[in-house]
Amino acid sequence: MTTCGALVKVLVLVGRLDLILTTFELVHGVRQVVIVAAGMDTRVFRLGLDENHVVFELDFKQVLQYKADRIHHAEGEVKPTCKYIPLGVDLTVPG
């Protein structure tokens, strides 16, 4: 598979995941989303969820801080429309 082909598959998957999340919210009234190993994902800023929703992002503290710094550097003071709770955790440690 070419790099371009892999990128297209990733973009389609991301788009489908966004659609799944918003559909679940509309149909089932889901109000909380937990993104494990969030990495550089910026879904919380794109979904357009309102203040009645909470998005938790779990990843290493350093990763979340790096992402926050990069977003601030690139976009200034960007805030999600929902409640956003980044949680720095070591996901490699059992229990």
Side-chain angles (χ1 to χ4, degrees), residues 24-45:
F24 258 81
E25 186 276 323
L26 292 171
V27 174
H28 301 288
V30 171
R31 298 283 180 209
Q32 295 183 350
V33 176
V34 179
I35 303 173
V36 179
M40 297 302 286
D41 186 275
T42 57
R43 186 166 282 109
V44 70
F45 300 97

Side-chain angles (χ1 to χ4, degrees), residues 64-86:
L64 294 173
Q65 186 60 57
Y66 179 78
K67 176 168 60 176
D69 293 345
R70 298 308 317 150
I71 290 171
H72 180 74
H73 179 73
E75 301 293 330
E77 194 60 36
V78 177
K79 296 190 185 276
T81 54
C82 62
K83 186 171 183 182
Y84 170 53
I85 303 175

Side-chain angles (χ1 to χ4, degrees), residues 3-95:
T3 302
C4 183
L7 178 60
V8 168
K9 286 185 178 186
V10 168
L11 292 175
V12 168
L13 177 61
V14 167
R16 285 184 181 167
L17 183 55
D18 288 354
L19 178 62
I20 289 167
L21 287 173
T22 53
T23 300
F24 258 81
E25 186 276 323
L26 292 171
V27 174
H28 301 288
V30 171
R31 298 283 180 209
Q32 295 183 350
V33 176
V34 179
I35 303 173
V36 179
M40 297 302 286
D41 186 275
T42 57
R43 186 166 282 109
V44 70
F45 300 97
R46 298 192 315 266
L47 286 176
L49 299 174
D50 65 29
E51 66 278 352
N52 296 315
H53 295 84
V54 181
V55 175
F56 298 91
E57 283 191 343
L58 282 63
D59 210 322
F60 292 111
K61 184 177 180 180
Q62 308 90 298
V63 172
L64 294 173
Q65 186 60 57
Y66 179 78
K67 176 168 60 176
D69 293 345
R70 298 308 317 150
I71 290 171
H72 180 74
H73 179 73
E75 301 293 330
E77 194 60 36
V78 177
K79 296 190 185 276
T81 54
C82 62
K83 186 171 183 182
Y84 170 53
I85 303 175
L87 297 170
V89 295
D90 185 348
L91 301 170
T92 64
V93 178

